[in-house]
Amino acid sequence: LEYPRARSTPCEAMKRAVCVVLLLALSGVALAVSDGGKVGSPVERVVNLLKDLKEKLEMDEKTEQKVYDKYACWCEKTEHRKAGAITEAQLQLRDLGQEVLSLKGKAATLASEIEQLEAEIMANKKAQEEATAMRQKENEAFMEEADETKQALAALEKATTVLVAGSKPSAFLQTRAKAVVKNVVAAMPVSKPLKAGQLTLLSEFLSSDAGAKYTPQSATVQGMLKDMYETF
């Protein structure tokens, strides 16, 4: 890798100034030597000191350049890594944004479906309540009709028995037979009314007087009531 050289710092400026001083000192030493100066004179000591200072400055410069190069390399690698991380994060943000929009659409759809299902549930509950109320009414009507049917069957059975006994020539028994036949007519359920012919026959029987005509009518009524009892 090639890295940029270190920028000019106060230390480098000092180095350049020392170099200038060193050059001037060397020029002065050269003149002094040419003039026959003595070895170990103050000038020579200054020259040696400046040489040492120059070498130290050069070594410091190399050390600082190495440190700078290492830091620059670290910065470049870090910058490259962070740039990649930023690019990846931007892609993730875009994907997440698209996913958020998709989820919002699904949420809206589900909310609409939930609202529709809630409406259907309410409608089903209302239908169940109406059906339950209707079944209760039907059950009450059925139970009422069952009671009426039981009463009608009991009346038919009793009327048949009484009519058999009332066929004998007895005014009391004949009167009792008419009474039980009236009970049969009154006990017939609304759902199973008497036919026109049956109603006519029973009306004639109830309006007849005791006598010779009673016995044939009684026998006819007995047969009709037995048939009604068996086919009720």
Side-chain angles (χ1 to χ4, degrees):
L1 295 177
E2 294 181 358
Y3 307 104
R5 303 294 294 179
R7 297 179 180 179
S8 178
T9 62
C11 182
E12 292 175 351
M14 183 182 66
K15 291 178 182 179
R16 287 194 292 271
V18 170
C19 290
V20 172
V21 173
L22 180 61
L23 290 175
L24 293 174
L26 290 175
S27 299
V29 169
L31 292 174
V33 170
S34 61
D35 292 338
K38 297 180 180 180
V39 178
S41 63
V43 174
E44 291 179 346
R45 288 196 296 272
V46 170
V47 170
N48 292 332
L49 178 61
L50 292 174
K51 287 181 178 179
D52 293 340
L53 181 59
K54 177 184 176 183
E55 292 177 357
K56 186 176 185 304
L57 289 174
E58 290 176 351
M59 291 180 63
D60 291 342
E61 182 181 5
K62 292 179 180 179
T63 301
E64 290 181 0
Q65 186 64 42
K66 289 180 180 180
V67 172
Y68 175 80
D69 291 343
K70 184 177 180 180
Y71 178 74
C73 182
W74 178 84
C75 290
E76 184 177 355
K77 290 180 179 180
T78 303
E79 181 182 3
H80 180 72
R81 185 173 66 254
K82 295 300 182 181
I86 291 172
T87 302
E88 184 178 358
Q90 290 175 344
L91 294 175
Q92 290 179 353
L93 286 174
R94 185 184 64 183
D95 294 339
L96 289 174
Q98 294 176 352
E99 186 176 358
V100 167
L101 293 177
S102 176
L103 292 175
K104 283 184 177 179
K106 291 181 179 179
T109 302
L110 292 175
S112 177
E113 292 178 356
I114 290 172
E115 184 177 357
Q116 182 178 357
L117 290 174
E118 288 178 347
E120 292 178 357
I121 290 172
M122 294 296 295
N124 287 334
K125 286 183 177 180
K126 185 177 180 181
Q128 289 177 2
E129 292 174 355
E130 293 176 353
T132 301
M134 183 179 297
R135 284 195 295 270
Q136 289 177 350
K137 291 181 180 179
E138 291 176 351
N139 183 63
E140 292 174 357
F142 173 78
M143 295 302 295
E144 183 178 354
E145 184 178 352
D147 291 338
E148 293 177 353
T149 302
K150 289 179 181 179
Q151 293 175 5
L153 287 172
L156 285 171
E157 185 178 5
K158 184 177 181 180
T160 303
T161 303
V162 172
L163 284 173
V164 171
S167 60
K168 298 178 181 181
S170 171
F172 173 76
L173 293 176
Q174 292 175 2
T175 303
R176 186 181 177 193
K178 289 183 178 181
V180 294
V181 170
K182 288 182 179 179
N183 290 335
V184 170
V185 176
M188 291 301 295
V190 179
S191 61
K192 295 181 180 180
L194 291 171
K195 297 179 181 178
Q198 294 173 338
L199 187 58
T200 300
L201 181 60
L202 292 175
S203 297
E204 291 178 355
F205 174 77
L206 294 173
S207 61
S208 64
D209 296 329
K213 190 178 179 181
Y214 174 80
T215 301
Q217 287 180 336
S218 177
T220 303
V221 172
Q222 287 179 34
M224 184 186 69
L225 295 179
K226 284 182 180 180
D227 183 63
M228 289 173 61
Y229 181 81
E230 292 175 354
T231 60
F232 201 77

